[in-house]
């Protein structure tokens, strides 16, 4: 089992989440890291992929939450590779 840490939301996500979405997502991510550590789960972090150079809109221009369809294959390829690499020996 591998735990996938969710990325922060993009600014276009404000249609469905409150204006303090950044603080909320940081709080969620901060709580999930020790959870995965406590369970000794290898972890893959989606944030560097979905928020490259701190731009959380780069791959999610439509709604700030879901990866744009034309970019989804590259994210899926990365995710599969990262999960396989994170699995214990």
């Amino acid at each position: 089992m591998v735990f996938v840490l969710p990325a922060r939301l993009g600014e276009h996500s404000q249609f469905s989440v409150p204006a303090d979405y950044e603080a909320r997502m940081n709080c969620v991510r901060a709580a999930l890291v020790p959870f995965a550590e406590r369970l000794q789960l290898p972890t893959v972090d989606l944030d560097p992929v979905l928020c490259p150079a701190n731009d959380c809109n780069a791959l999610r221009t439509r709604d700030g939450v879901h990866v744009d369809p034309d970019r989804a294959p590259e994210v899926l390829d990365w995710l599969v590779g990262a999960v396989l690499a994170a699995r214990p020996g």
Side-chain angles (χ1 to χ4, degrees), residues 15 17 21-22 33 47 54 59 61 67 69 71 74 77 82-83 85:
F15 75 94
V17 295
Y21 69 95
E22 289 178 347
V33 170
D47 202 68
N54 235 8
L59 304 176
T61 59
V67 176
R71 304 300 297 271
E74 74 184 82
D77 286 345
V83 166

Side-chain angles (χ1 to χ4, degrees), residues 8-44:
R8 293 169 291 147
L9 300 173
E11 67 184 31
H12 302 290
S13 66
Q14 290 184 31
F15 75 94
S16 65
V17 295
D20 65 346
Y21 69 95
E22 289 178 347
R24 288 172 182 251
M25 200 62 205
N26 287 335
C27 180
V28 168
R29 287 173 50 82
L32 289 174
V33 170
F35 168 76
E37 289 172 351
R38 189 168 48 255
L39 295 176
Q40 299 179 343
L41 294 172
T43 301
V44 171

